Amino acid sequence: MKIFERKADLNQYIEDAKFDGKSIGFVPTMGALHAGHLALVSEAGKQCDIVVASIFVNPIQFNNKEDLKKYPRTFESDREMLEKTGCDVIFFPSVEEMYPEEVEEKYNFGALETVMEGAARPGHFSGVAVVVKRLFDLVHPDKAFFGKKDFQQLAIIRALTKQMGSPIQIVGMDTVREADGLAMSSRNRRLSAQEREQAVELSQALNFIKQNKNNFTLVQLEANAIEKLSRNFRVEYIQIVDGHSLQSITDWSQSNYPVVCAAAFLGDVRLIDNLEF
Ligand code: PAF
């Protein structure tokens, strides 16, 4: 497995691979890898000749400095896991390598970015779009793999590739969960033992909505789901939306692809999760 820290070295490798007619699968990450990331890498290996993973904690997508500071950085174990999972290349750039100059790009994703995560984390998706576009331009993947846990991010990335007129195929993969149902996340390791036990309540609240779909109005379902969480949770939103437009719905007839999305703090750890219907 190769590890490149410089764009020029990665470029050379990609050029050679393309010249040899190899297809490239790309898994962008911020490291602190878990089984969810590894599922993306495995799938990329099944669908493409070469798998490139990037590890870059992207400062411009953090709207909270503390969160950026506390984001787990675990390169050695990430490297080992990627190697075992069949990754061919890790791109591990520094901040200076990715952003040698002030970032000036601007993106507009309209209503997709003004709701949920976009509303709660101003500037977040702009930062995601900037880094993903730069990474796509470096890696030139045939396919790029993203987890559905970041449901809104996946929608934004699909919109970005459309805006770029890019042929890259975006593959969204199901959320990988712990045995009790908690969605895997790099941030989970920051939960205390007690918080970790309670964290599962978020996925239980989403399941409650799915199971009681026909027993309450949508507004009641959202309110009941919030009530089910322990007091330690600070809920930002539990919202039933249309999975295409991401806009809130108040009646099932308003969407042929409803998804319930949630974000909540437990202590100072922000958890997100969602469930498709
Ligand atoms: O999902 C993530 O880990 C990040 O948002 C991504 C896509 C790697 C961009 O920094």
Side-chain angles (χ1 to χ4, degrees):
M1 186 177 66
K2 303 229 178 284
I3 301 173
F4 298 123
E5 294 184 11
R6 306 241 164 245
K7 292 182 282 196
D9 298 332
L10 175 68
N11 256 329
Q12 189 58 57
Y13 178 93
I14 298 287
E15 249 179 49
D16 292 348
K18 293 261 171 194
F19 186 78
D20 292 341
K22 306 277 191 211
S23 62
I24 296 176
F26 180 41
V27 182
T29 83
M30 298 205 298
L33 303 183
H34 51 68
H37 295 110
L38 301 181
L40 303 178
V41 171
S42 293
E43 188 58 30
K46 284 185 201 145
Q47 296 193 24
C48 303
D49 300 322
I50 288 175
V51 182
V52 178
S54 59
I55 298 180
F56 179 62
V57 182
N58 177 30
I60 66 166
Q61 73 183 72
F62 285 79
N63 58 319
N64 175 332
K65 283 205 175 88
E66 259 325 277
D67 192 27
L68 171 61
K69 212 162 89 189
K70 288 187 181 156
Y71 201 85
R73 286 148 172 97
T74 55
F75 182 75
E76 251 331 289
S77 71
D78 292 347
R79 188 190 60 71
E80 264 177 44
M81 285 194 252
L82 286 170
E83 184 141 39
K84 281 193 193 133
T85 315
C87 181
D88 298 290
V89 175
I90 302 178
F91 181 48
F92 181 51
S94 64
V95 174
E96 295 69 35
E97 187 69 7
M98 283 310 286
Y99 301 124
E101 278 149 33
E102 205 173 313
V103 175
E104 286 184 350
E105 298 98 299
K106 294 260 179 294
Y107 293 94
N108 184 351
F109 299 107
L112 279 185
E113 65 176 337
T114 54
V115 293
M116 299 192 290
E117 292 302 283
R121 304 178 68 188
H124 169 67
F125 286 124
S126 165
V128 169
V130 167
V131 80
V132 169
K133 163 83 166 68
R134 289 190 183 195
L135 290 167
F136 279 179
D137 287 347
L138 287 167
V139 178
H140 293 290
D142 296 274
K143 298 186 181 187
F145 297 77
F146 294 86
K148 285 191 190 169
K149 188 184 74 87
D150 294 291
F151 192 83
Q152 191 172 5
Q153 169 172 282
L154 182 57
I156 294 277
I157 286 168
R158 289 194 198 283
L160 172 72
T161 38
K162 204 165 168 194
Q163 280 179 22
M164 286 163 66
S166 161
I168 300 169
Q169 193 183 322
I170 304 299
V171 182
M173 288 189 55
D174 286 344
T175 301
V176 177
R177 295 181 181 278
E178 302 286 354
D180 64 358
L182 173 66
M184 287 201 184
S185 163
S186 304
R187 289 184 173 86
N188 290 353
R189 64 185 83 195
R190 288 180 42 219
L191 295 166
S192 69
Q194 191 206 4
E195 288 164 352
R196 170 62 192 84
E197 263 182 37
Q198 290 177 336
V200 65
E201 291 175 18
L202 195 60
S203 64
Q204 286 168 348
L206 301 185
N207 277 307
F208 164 83
I209 291 186
K210 194 166 176 172
Q211 283 153 11
N212 290 281
K213 187 174 178 283
N214 298 319
N215 302 342
F216 301 95
T217 66
L218 277 68
V219 174
Q220 284 168 342
L221 282 169
E222 291 165 350
N224 292 352
I226 292 174
E227 251 173 43
K228 291 199 157 298
L229 298 173
S230 315
R231 287 191 181 281
N232 290 3
F233 275 93
R234 230 167 355 103
V235 177
E236 283 193 340
Y237 59 83
I238 294 188
Q239 226 170 305
I240 305 169
V241 302
D242 171 56
H244 304 292
S245 68
L246 305 188
Q247 304 308 298
S248 212
I249 58 167
T250 51
D251 191 280
W252 298 114
S253 65
Q254 291 166 353
S255 173
N256 61 5
Y257 178 34
V259 182
V260 56
C261 299
F265 277 95
L266 199 48
D268 67 348
V269 181
R270 192 169 180 278
L271 303 172
I272 61 171
D273 199 355
N274 64 79
L275 204 57
E276 293 164 293
F277 283 70

